[in-house]
């Protein structure tokens, strides 16, 4: 009963100073709104990045060639072509828990067809490439192991290349000329979009790696090896096995290759967005604290302003606890109300950003619960000092206060 | 019958400043049910301090205070608050009503902090009854700033009566009022006293003290005179005289 009355009294006091109450709550509104918006947008950005990482393929391990060293000058990874098709074959033969292996060749070249031409990335791969990169063929089919063995002049082309060279469609079965060598189109890759670094993944032509080595690049060494591990659990083991195997094949020579997995790539990519989320949330959190101090400030003014009222209440028999509760409830109502409005604002803002940028916005229930709980705690924390000050007033002094 | 108020050799010493101030130096006093006492004295005589002690707003440094047979001199803050709530009604010089709160809600205030549970309907009824006693039931929904000084003081009296206290304590209740309104408020006190309510009021105005039945005079923290008033003024009578005088003034000016 006393508590209900106290709540009524607190509500009435807030209503009497509507403008001041709104402005005080505004600090919390902005704080909570900012926290929720930042966490939501951050989560959305992270999900976006993760989706892009997933587009690289599942459980993919990449073996890069090593660094070139001459006269003490070290060239960095990839500066020397130290990987061979034999390495790739060894991995395929001797490593367990491997779903697919593809030796990779990369070169840019001019492609001609249909009276048009286009400069694009020419990839030499094994037929596993499509499954390793989780990249289905939209029409036609992937070239086969037979094509690889026979150094066949067949190609699978990306959506962008198809659009550029064959504006009217009907690409399948047509011939394109790469460095003046005719290749028959046997398949079209499904559209994949841009990768993490903003490159158009569909701007590519994939041919058997043997054909690439012998007819296009004319090099004995491969650019890298793609390996797909059976599962996320085995990925590190497979990585280690590959390292061991290749070292064994180097017979005591220095390690001239490096083995990376996709998880590491993903971590590097999401690290940025995670850092941003933490940073922005921290700033938003600071604004929440500032809002809390605003509440404390107003509550202190309010206590001073209403010293006489407190005196009257104490004189007619209010306990210190009643006065404490009254002011504490006022503070908590201010901050909780601010919290609730802040959630609405934060979610609204996130939706707006989502609409403008096309990012998926993930309003996490945790962030909502934490924001509300935090705003209530802010109310109690910053309301307590002024409320206790009010409760400890001496009734005689308070009544005499002008 | 036991006295409502019984104080024995009560002392109050303030030592917040550099030199301790001995505000009340051994006052003994009994006030019985149905009395109407004026506590008088020059400023600094200790009358306000004594009033705060009587009102349980403060504790005596030494001495004993029995209020309605309960020793209240050693109670803690919250126990004193409950005593104030249940046994004492306060009327202040400055009215001390809550601003922007209706007369009715002001009157309900002591019931909110009572030990006994009241439903809001019960609270409203009892508050209305109190307002009726002071003749303001038609102003229940008015805010203090819509009421005259005399009316505000009557609301304050209604609030003091809300919990049916043992004793009504009034600190300079007419200090902020003009002479006619003062008489009006004294009339309310006399009426309440006529119904058996014990009243103690502080005043420095001799003519106001003459409305009471007993006058106490304090000087330097000691009780120097305690006498019954021989020819009590009757507020009704005085009011009539004032009205006649006003009418006469109008007649002559007309």
């Amino acid at each position: 009963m006393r508590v209900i009355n106290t709540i009524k009294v607190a509500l009435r006091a807030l209503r009497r100073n509507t403008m001041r109450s709104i402005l005080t709550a505004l600090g919390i509104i902005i704080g909570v709104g900012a926290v929720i918006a930042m966490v939501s947008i951050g989560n959305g950005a992270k999900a976006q990045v993760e989706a892009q990482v997933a587009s690289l393929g599942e459980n993919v391990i990449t073996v890069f060639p090593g660094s070139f060293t001459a006269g003490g000058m070290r060239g960095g990874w990839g500066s020397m072509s130290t990987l061979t098709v034999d390495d790739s074959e060894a991995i395929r033969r001797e490593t367990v828990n491997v779903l697919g292996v593809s030796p990779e060749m990369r070169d840019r070249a001019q492609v001609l067809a249909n009276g048009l031409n286009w400069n694009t990335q020419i990839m030499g791969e094994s037929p596993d490439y499509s499954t390793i990169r989780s990249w289905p063929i939209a029409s036609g089919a992937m070239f086969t192991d037979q094509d690889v063995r026979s150094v066949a002049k067949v190609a699978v082309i990306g959506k962008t290349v198809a659009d550029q060279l064959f504006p009217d469609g009907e690409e399948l079965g047509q011939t394109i000329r790469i460095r003046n060598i005719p290749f028959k189109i046997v398949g079209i890759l499904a559209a994949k979009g841009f990768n993490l670094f903003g490159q158009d993944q569909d701007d590519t032509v994939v041919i058997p790696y043997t054909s690439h080595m012998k007819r296009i690049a004319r090099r004995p060494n491969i650019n890298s090896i793609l390996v797909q591990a059976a599962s996320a659990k085995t990925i590190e083991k497979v990585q280690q096995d590959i390292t061991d195997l290749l070292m064994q094949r180097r017979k005591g020579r220095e390690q001239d290759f490096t083995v990376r997995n996709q998880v590491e790539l993903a971590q590097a990519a999401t690290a940025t967005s995670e850092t941003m989320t933490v940073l922005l949330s921290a700033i938003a959190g600071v604004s929440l604290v500032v809002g809390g101090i605003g509440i404390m400030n107003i509550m202190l003014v309010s206590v001073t302003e209403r010293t006489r009222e407190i005196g009257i209440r104490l004189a007619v028999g209010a306990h210190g606890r009643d006065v404490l509760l009254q002011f504490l409830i006022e503070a908590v109502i201010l901050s909780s109300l601010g919290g609730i409005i802040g959630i609405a604002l934060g979610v609204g803002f996130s939706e707006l950003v989502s609409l403008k940028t096309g990012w998926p916005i993930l309003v996490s229930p945790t962030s909502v619960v934490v924001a509300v709980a935090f705003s209530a705690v802010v109310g109690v924390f910053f309301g307590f000092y002024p409320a206790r000050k009010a409760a400890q007033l001496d009734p005689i002094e308070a009544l005499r206060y002008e | 019958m036991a006295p409502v108020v019984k104080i024995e050799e009560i002392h109050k010493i303030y030592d917040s400043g550099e030199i301790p101030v001995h505000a009340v130096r051994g006052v003994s006093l009994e006030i019985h049910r149905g009395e109407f006492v004026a506590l008088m004295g020059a400023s600094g005589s200790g009358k306000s301090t004594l009033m705060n002690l009587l009102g349980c707003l403060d504790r005596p440094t030494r001495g004993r205070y029995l209020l309605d047979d309960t020793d209240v001199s050693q109670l803690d803050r919250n126990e004193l608050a409950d005593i104030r709530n249940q046994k004492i009604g306060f009327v202040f010089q400055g009215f001390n009503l809550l601003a922007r709160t209706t007369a009715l809600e002001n009157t309900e205030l002591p019931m909110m902090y009572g030990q006994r549970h009241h439903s809001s309907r019960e609270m409203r009824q009892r508050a209305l009854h109190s307002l009726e006693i002071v003749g303001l039931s038609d102003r229940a929904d008015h805010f203090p700033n819509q009421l005259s000084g005399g009316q505000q003081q009557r609301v304050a009296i209604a609030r003091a009566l809300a919990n049916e206290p043992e004793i009504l304590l009034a600190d300079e209740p007419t200090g902020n009022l003009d002479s006619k309104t003062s008489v009006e408020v004294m009339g309310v006190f006399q009426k309440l006293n006529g119904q058996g309510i014990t009243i103690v009021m502080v005043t420095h105005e001799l003519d106001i003290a003459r409305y009471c039945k007993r006058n106490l005079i304090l000087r330097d923290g000691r009780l120097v005179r305690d006498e019954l008033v021989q020819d009590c003024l009757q507020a009704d009578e005085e009011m009539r005289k004032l009205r006649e005088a006003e009418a006469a003034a109008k007649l002559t000016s007309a």
Side-chain angles (χ1 to χ4, degrees):
Chain A
M1 184 57 190
R2 277 169 95 120
V3 174
I4 292 170
N5 277 331
T6 309
I7 293 173
K8 276 188 203 157
V9 168
L11 277 174
R12 194 180 298 152
L14 291 176
R15 225 181 305 132
R16 242 175 243 148
N17 281 305
T18 316
M19 192 60 187
R20 191 162 82 181
S21 302
I22 292 170
L23 287 175
T24 310
L26 200 60
I28 297 291
I29 293 175
I30 292 172
V32 169
V35 166
I36 290 188
M38 288 314 144
V39 171
S40 302
I41 293 168
N43 281 346
K46 205 176 136 201
Q48 179 87 338
V49 170
E50 276 167 358
Q52 283 174 335
V53 170
S55 80
L56 294 176
E58 260 182 290
N59 309 322
V60 176
I61 297 166
T62 313
V63 185
F64 295 103
S67 77
F68 167 80
T69 307
M73 187 187 81
R74 302 173 69 212
W77 296 128
S79 57
M80 199 165 71
S81 303
T82 54
L83 291 177
T84 60
V85 175
D86 290 343
D87 289 331
S88 151
E89 288 302 315
I91 293 169
R92 189 196 294 276
R93 260 194 333 270
E94 295 176 35
T95 320
V96 289
N97 289 325
V98 164
L99 294 183
V101 178
S102 178
E104 261 194 325
M105 294 294 292
R106 278 191 301 274
D107 249 336
R108 291 200 74 84
Q110 210 71 16
V111 180
L112 287 79
N114 206 14
L116 295 166
N117 69 86
W118 186 250
N119 188 287
T120 188
Q121 173 104 323
I122 314 295
M123 309 282 290
E125 302 282 352
S126 82
D128 291 344
Y129 184 68
S130 163
T131 51
I132 293 173
R133 299 261 341 247
S134 320
W135 200 351
I137 307 293
S139 59
M142 193 66 188
F143 50 77
T144 61
D145 284 326
Q146 174 59 36
D147 292 327
V148 172
R149 278 194 293 275
S150 61
V151 200
K153 291 184 273 188
V154 290
V156 169
I157 65 172
K159 185 76 171 49
T160 304
V161 176
D163 288 344
Q164 292 299 331
L165 296 178
F166 303 96
D168 306 326
E170 301 289 320
E171 313 88 342
L172 220 55
Q174 301 266 18
T175 301
I176 52 172
R177 299 178 81 84
I178 308 170
R179 293 202 176 146
N180 222 16
I181 299 155
F183 282 80
K184 189 181 161 205
I185 299 173
V186 294
I188 315 289
L189 288 160
K192 206 173 176 79
F194 294 89
N195 72 2
L196 277 177
F197 316 103
Q199 289 165 337
D200 180 5
Q201 300 180 88
D202 297 321
D203 189 4
T204 190
V205 171
V206 184
I207 58 176
Y209 65 93
T210 46
S211 315
H212 196 291
M213 291 169 82
K214 296 212 171 94
R215 300 182 194 276
I216 308 294
R218 297 168 202 268
R219 298 193 292 265
N221 294 87
I222 54 177
N223 286 95
S224 53
I225 305 170
L226 289 181
V227 181
Q228 184 171 35
S231 68
K233 277 182 213 154
T234 55
I235 194 162
E236 278 182 31
K237 176 78 168 65
V238 172
Q239 202 175 348
Q240 188 57 49
D241 289 349
I242 290 171
T243 310
D244 293 345
L245 173 67
L246 295 184
M247 280 312 288
Q248 195 188 327
R249 284 171 57 76
R250 300 273 173 297
K251 295 191 176 71
R253 272 181 290 134
E254 228 184 299
Q255 179 170 352
D256 58 1
F257 60 91
T258 179
V259 186
R260 289 276 161 80
N261 72 45
Q262 181 203 355
V263 176
E264 290 164 345
L265 248 177
Q267 276 168 352
T270 51
T272 322
S273 72
E274 255 167 28
T275 310
M276 285 308 283
T277 306
V278 169
L279 194 72
L280 292 172
S281 308
I283 292 168
V286 166
S287 73
L288 207 51
V289 172
V290 172
I293 292 170
I295 286 188
M296 176 145 89
N297 192 6
I298 287 300
M299 292 313 294
L300 278 174
V301 170
S302 185
V303 167
T304 311
E305 232 182 41
R306 285 149 68 189
T307 301
R308 222 169 221 279
E309 176 193 324
I310 295 162
I312 296 167
R313 289 181 188 279
L314 290 172
V316 302
H319 288 191
R321 196 185 54 221
D322 296 319
V323 175
L324 181 98
L325 211 61
Q326 178 188 337
F327 282 89
L328 209 54
I329 287 172
E330 269 186 44
V332 171
I333 288 175
L334 270 182
S335 63
S336 311
L337 220 63
I340 290 164
I341 299 171
I343 290 168
L345 222 65
V347 171
F349 185 72
S350 312
E351 295 290 340
L352 198 75
V353 169
S354 160
L355 224 67
K356 289 275 175 206
T357 61
W359 294 353
I361 296 298
L362 302 171
V363 179
S364 76
T366 333
S367 74
V368 171
V369 170
V370 166
V372 171
F374 196 71
S375 63
V377 168
V378 161
V380 173
F381 186 78
F382 289 103
F384 189 77
Y385 173 67
R388 205 181 58 130
K389 213 181 138 192
Q392 285 178 342
L393 283 175
D394 176 45
I396 300 169
E397 294 289 321
L399 281 170
R400 220 177 272 155
Y401 185 84
E402 290 298 328
Chain B
M1 202 160 78
V4 181
V5 170
K6 184 176 185 187
I7 54 179
E8 292 165 358
E9 272 302 304
I10 213 165
H11 287 260
K12 182 68 190 178
I13 303 163
Y14 294 108
D15 42 21
S16 51
E18 283 175 23
I19 33 164
V21 179
H22 209 145
V24 174
R25 304 161 183 252
V27 172
S28 295
L29 180 66
E30 283 188 7
I31 295 169
H32 290 268
R33 230 164 273 277
E35 280 202 88
F36 188 5
V37 181
L39 190 57
M40 302 179 64
S43 59
S45 62
K47 61 181 195 297
S48 290
T49 306
L50 185 58
M51 199 65 170
N52 288 338
L53 291 173
L54 286 177
C56 292
L57 286 164
D58 210 348
R59 269 182 302 231
T61 314
R62 278 205 305 278
R64 229 155 71 94
Y65 175 14
L66 294 173
L67 175 64
D68 195 27
D69 273 341
T70 317
D71 190 349
V72 296
S73 32
Q74 300 306 323
L75 297 183
D76 71 15
R77 220 175 123 90
N78 286 341
E79 288 167 332
L80 283 179
D82 289 335
I83 293 284
R84 289 198 297 271
N85 185 262
Q86 296 305 316
K87 306 214 162 165
I88 298 166
F90 285 100
V91 178
F92 303 95
Q93 178 177 6
F95 318 139
N96 276 338
L97 297 177
L98 296 183
R100 284 173 286 182
T101 306
T102 62
L104 186 75
E105 286 166 337
N106 263 297
T107 312
E108 284 175 349
L109 194 64
M111 289 185 266
M112 272 181 52
Y113 296 110
Q115 303 258 295
R116 283 218 323 274
H117 169 91
H118 299 285
S119 70
S120 35
R121 211 168 60 100
E122 202 183 328
M123 268 167 66
R124 200 184 145 80
Q125 274 172 353
R126 288 182 59 169
L128 272 173
H129 178 68
S130 288
L131 284 171
E132 211 176 291
I133 293 173
V134 298
L136 278 178
S137 47
D138 56 332
R139 301 287 160 92
D141 294 326
H142 287 223
F143 291 110
N145 58 359
Q146 298 168 321
L147 298 171
S148 72
Q151 285 169 333
Q152 287 186 52
Q153 195 58 299
R154 275 149 66 191
V155 172
I157 296 170
R159 180 179 66 194
L161 293 173
N163 267 353
E164 293 163 355
E166 296 294 330
I167 186 167
L168 205 61
L169 295 178
D171 191 359
E172 303 260 11
T174 60
N176 284 12
L177 302 173
D178 62 43
S179 53
K180 193 183 158 197
T181 319
S182 297
V183 175
E184 185 188 312
V185 167
M186 290 315 293
V188 173
F189 279 129
Q190 282 190 332
K191 193 177 127 200
L192 293 172
N193 184 240
Q195 291 165 5
I197 293 171
T198 314
I199 301 170
V200 178
M201 61 179 275
V202 166
T203 184
H204 62 269
E205 292 167 276
L206 278 169
D207 50 337
I208 291 296
R210 284 181 62 203
Y211 288 93
C212 307
K213 289 179 185 164
R214 181 182 171 192
N215 283 3
L216 301 173
I217 296 177
L218 273 178
R219 190 177 302 143
D220 297 328
R222 289 192 183 88
L223 204 56
V224 294
R225 199 189 294 175
D226 181 354
E227 59 181 18
L228 293 178
V229 179
Q230 294 307 318
D231 47 347
C232 271
L233 289 177
Q234 288 305 311
D236 294 347
E237 184 75 6
E238 294 305 306
M239 206 59 180
R240 195 175 53 77
K241 281 186 198 162
L242 273 170
R243 285 211 192 88
E244 275 171 9
E246 268 180 8
K250 265 180 204 155
L251 279 176
T252 49
S253 65

